[in-house]
Amino acid sequence: MRPIRLAVALLSALALAAQTPKAPAAPPAPTHADILRGAYGPYRANNDLLSYHLDIRVDPEKKSLSGKNTIRFKMLRDDSRIQLDLHSALAVDKILYGTTELKYERDSGAVFVDFPTTLRKGRIYSIVFYYSGHPLETGRFGGIAFRKDASGHPWVNTACEGTGASLWWPNKDQWRDEVRNMRISVAIPNGLVDVSNGKFLGKTDLGDGYTRWDWLVQYPINNYDVSLNIGNYQHFSDRLGNIPLDFYALPEDLEKAKKQFAQARGMLEAFQHYFGEYPFKKDGYKLIQAPYSGMEHQSAVTYGNHFANGYLERDWTGVGISLRFDFIIIHESAHEWFGNSITAADSSDMWIHEGWATYLEGLYVEYRFGREDALKYLNGYKAKVKNNQPILTPRGINATPPQDQYFKGALFLNTLRSVVNDDRRWFALLHSFYQCFKYQTILTEDVVGYFNRHLGRNLTPIFNQYLRHARLPVLELRFDEAAQSVSYRWQAEEPGFAMPVRVGGPGDWRIVRPTAERQTMPTSRTKADFQAATDLYYIDVRKD
Ligand SMILES: [Zn+2]
């Protein structure tokens, strides 16, 4: 069946290609709301977040929540207005500055807050934002979902990347500015457990059928990482050195969880080996069972991968390696280093989360099973790459970049390692790059600048070709078998693209430095057995 269906698909694709010229898919035009949410506008840029205290009550039966967020910030210039965000499905009850009730204006998801007097540059202010309502269940993983587990207990979870944390709580909903710490207080019906981010401080019986669970995040945190996991959880714990490990699963899955979650130790060992210590040691590391596949909530990774290896029980990269480990434990936890500790300052640059986390899967495979398996694993991702849109999307617009940010992003980093062509240097670079930018928000320019400075090379055209253009660079080879030579050049969109590449074959691999101009070299190899090392460099090759 399969070859026939493939052939039909290929024929119809060819027919389509004959009718319409192949052009990269144009992204849909951003809406007013996408720009308000995505842009780092003047009323966001005029202040710097210091802390949040989110203090809410969740009613799982009514599927509602109410409460307040105390927002502390420092003004960066004199102004009397700031921009916060709260989804229009939720009511703003009041916003207090001391005892003064502040005026505000809502525009789609934005809430512009006006102060009666000018806030002064350099001073610290605190406001309390009261809100309530029935949040919308939306997005890939539900945003905030009010469900029941199989035994009928409430099970409420959040996963709101993309849609935005303002779906369920008021905050400055963007990526550039993070609070330095956060307290999360969640009142829930007695008998249930809430697992949020950070260190568990304790619980208090409120005497009205509700218990408040208090959590303290002692590091910068991005909004979409802030999470609620309310359910009939059972808890067990472990330690890796001085890192507390805490695990939460439903009673019926407890034994499976005890077995599967043991993989967290090997994951932490591998990533600590490459990048240095786990970034959120004081908060501990947690794995929490959730009803969707998984999410990288900081220090509180949510897990729904069926307590089985692979990804939802599939061999994820299709080359027989994924089934040796739990994809969700490895991928989502890789985000503790890339996504949570180092965060992209704009969602346009989300490959800093996903390309890197996917590459870290490869590093995990390398640490556990060796370089050959890691190459096989990463190259398995080629089948998932589309090469029809650049990985980087326009800045200042709330949008999720194309899926190539994951797989092509990882294959690009693997390519970059071959360009560096010195593993000792490559691993030292990865370590120092992470250490330099940990706990910060950065853009692609920061990555490129760091790599260029530390290698003393101009890799900008290589980064640009892979991140800012849709297509792969094509290595054009033209053979003259009579003269025993081959000429070569790059065909690429990025001006000045001159990536070195390994060509030849077993026994006589060599690195050539093609440019856009043809160069010729002697070879005794025929067109058929002259190769480019496409497992080390993610490129297209054309032979004439
Ligand atoms: Zn991810």
Side-chain angles (χ1 to χ4, degrees):
M1 278 303 283
R2 176 165 273 191
I4 296 167
R5 279 163 63 186
L6 265 179
V8 171
L10 189 64
L11 280 175
S12 44
L14 284 172
L16 202 68
Q19 289 160 11
T20 47
K22 194 181 166 197
T31 63
H32 173 67
D34 288 337
I35 293 167
L36 267 183
R37 244 281 314 279
Y40 204 65
Y43 302 116
R44 283 173 163 171
N46 65 6
N47 68 84
D48 178 25
L49 288 171
L50 298 176
S51 69
Y52 292 136
H53 178 191
L54 180 63
D55 183 1
I56 58 173
R57 175 175 286 242
V58 180
D59 186 330
E61 295 305 325
K62 291 196 177 128
K63 303 185 176 186
S64 69
L65 43 79
S66 62
K68 58 184 197 270
N69 186 17
T70 304
I71 304 170
R72 279 179 77 240
F73 56 96
K74 185 167 121 183
M75 287 306 284
L76 298 177
R77 59 178 169 80
D78 289 2
D79 215 335
S80 59
R81 168 173 263 212
I82 61 167
Q83 179 187 343
L84 299 171
D85 304 85
L86 183 68
H87 194 280
S88 51
L90 294 169
V92 178
D93 294 332
K94 62 184 171 185
I95 304 172
L96 292 184
Y97 170 48
T99 52
T100 308
E101 200 165 328
L102 297 175
K103 293 201 169 76
Y104 59 87
E105 217 175 282
R106 299 188 80 168
D107 181 355
S108 48
V111 182
F112 292 97
V113 183
D114 290 307
F115 293 81
T117 53
T118 303
L119 306 183
R120 297 293 173 196
K121 176 184 171 177
R123 296 224 185 124
I124 291 169
Y125 297 90
S126 179
I127 60 170
V128 188
F129 193 129
Y130 289 82
Y131 77 113
S132 59
H134 297 267
L136 207 67
E137 198 170 319
T138 182
R140 192 171 162 209
F141 297 132
I144 176 165
F146 293 83
R147 298 183 192 175
K148 295 240 154 101
D149 68 16
S151 63
H153 291 88
W155 202 11
V156 181
N157 306 81
T158 61
C160 53
E161 189 183 18
T163 314
S166 51
L167 183 74
W168 64 275
W169 60 286
N171 60 81
K172 181 176 171 181
D173 203 359
Q174 41 70 56
W175 288 19
R176 185 178 302 258
D177 189 12
E178 295 183 354
V179 288
R180 297 170 195 186
N181 53 69
M182 176 166 183
R183 203 174 162 115
I184 305 167
S185 302
V186 186
I188 51 173
N190 292 343
L192 293 173
V193 174
D194 170 61
V195 192
S196 288
N197 318 78
K199 183 186 162 126
F200 179 54
L201 295 178
K203 57 178 178 170
T204 309
D205 189 332
L206 301 176
D208 60 353
Y210 273 67
T211 298
R212 196 185 66 229
W213 294 69
D214 289 305
W215 297 85
L216 179 66
V217 179
Q218 302 166 87
Y219 302 88
I221 184 167
N222 51 11
N223 296 324
Y224 71 78
D225 268 332
V226 174
S227 69
L228 301 180
N229 297 282
I230 300 165
N232 182 32
Y233 285 115
Q234 301 280 303
H235 170 232
F236 59 99
S237 61
D238 193 5
R239 278 186 99 77
L240 180 71
N242 51 9
I243 310 169
L245 312 179
D246 289 280
F247 304 103
Y248 298 84
L250 299 181
E252 59 268 34
D253 293 318
L254 191 61
E255 289 314 309
K256 283 186 273 181
K258 281 183 176 167
K259 210 165 149 234
Q260 195 72 2
F261 288 177
Q263 290 190 32
R265 299 177 67 90
M267 172 280 296
L268 286 164
E269 278 163 5
F271 295 148
Q272 293 197 122
H273 166 79
Y274 290 110
F275 298 102
E277 85 176 3
Y278 171 67
F280 309 110
K281 207 164 70 180
K282 285 187 285 177
D283 287 356
Y285 171 83
K286 295 179 275 306
L287 270 175
I288 304 142
Q289 185 178 357
Y292 54 86
S293 61
M295 186 65 205
E296 66 257 31
H297 299 123
Q298 182 170 308
S299 84
V301 171
T302 39
Y303 175 93
N305 199 32
H306 305 178
F307 303 101
N309 284 355
Y311 181 27
L312 299 173
E313 297 169 69
R314 283 175 291 159
D315 178 357
W316 176 231
T317 71
V319 292
I321 292 166
S322 306
L323 294 172
R324 296 187 207 159
F325 60 91
D326 191 307
F327 172 80
I328 286 295
I329 295 178
I330 305 309
H331 176 91
E332 304 307 341
S333 304
H335 282 305
E336 297 279 34
W337 282 263
F338 291 90
N340 302 349
S341 177
I342 293 182
T343 305
D346 190 307
S347 61
S348 57
D349 293 48
M350 192 175 158
W351 80 282
I352 293 170
H353 304 192
E354 300 301 349
W356 279 85
T358 307
Y359 183 66
L360 263 64
E361 296 164 22
L363 290 179
Y364 173 81
V365 173
E366 182 158 346
Y367 185 78
R368 291 282 316 278
F369 309 112
R371 165 83 162 140
E372 210 173 300
D373 282 349
L375 271 180
K376 206 171 142 194
Y377 178 84
L378 287 172
N379 279 288
Y381 271 127
K382 282 179 180 169
K384 299 184 196 292
V385 180
K386 295 196 172 71
N387 288 315
N388 63 356
Q389 260 187 74
I391 286 175
L392 290 172
T393 52
R395 294 253 163 91
I397 296 164
N398 183 50
T400 301
Q403 211 183 35
D404 278 5
Q405 62 168 326
Y406 291 76
F407 319 128
K408 186 177 180 180
L411 286 159
F412 163 59
L413 291 171
N414 184 51
T415 302
L416 216 47
R417 173 174 173 179
S418 308
V419 171
V420 171
N421 193 30
D422 178 340
D423 278 352
R424 203 185 42 82
R425 235 176 147 189
W426 174 249
F427 287 118
L429 175 66
L430 292 190
H431 187 274
S432 68
F433 164 67
Y434 169 76
Q435 290 294 330
C436 174
F437 291 113
K438 64 184 176 184
Y439 309 121
Q440 296 178 44
T441 64
I442 65 170
L443 292 167
T444 298
E445 290 84 329
D446 298 306
V447 185
V448 180
Y450 190 90
F451 275 53
N452 284 348
R453 273 195 312 282
H454 280 257
L455 294 167
R457 291 168 73 170
N458 177 20
L459 301 178
T460 308
I462 301 179
F463 274 92
N464 284 350
Q465 177 60 40
Y466 283 91
L467 300 177
R468 297 182 191 277
H469 299 284
R471 292 188 197 149
L472 284 180
V474 181
L475 182 65
E476 287 186 353
L477 300 172
R478 192 178 292 165
F479 293 86
D480 185 340
E481 283 179 12
Q484 291 208 319
S485 72
V486 58
S487 75
Y488 55 87
R489 71 169 178 194
W490 285 119
Q491 195 219 25
E493 286 90 342
E494 180 65 23
F497 180 80
M499 186 171 80
V501 63
R502 187 180 295 258
V503 295
D508 67 341
W509 287 111
R510 70 191 102 164
I511 288 175
V512 292
R513 291 168 202 289
T515 63
E517 306 301 321
R518 266 189 193 287
Q519 301 171 62
T520 301
M521 66 180 221
T523 181
S524 55
R525 289 180 174 269
T526 62
K527 180 175 163 182
D529 73 356
F530 187 96
Q531 303 164 40
T534 51
D535 56 338
L536 302 176
Y537 304 82
Y538 185 37
I539 59 171
D540 272 337
V541 179
R542 187 153 70 226
K543 293 180 176 180
D544 292 309

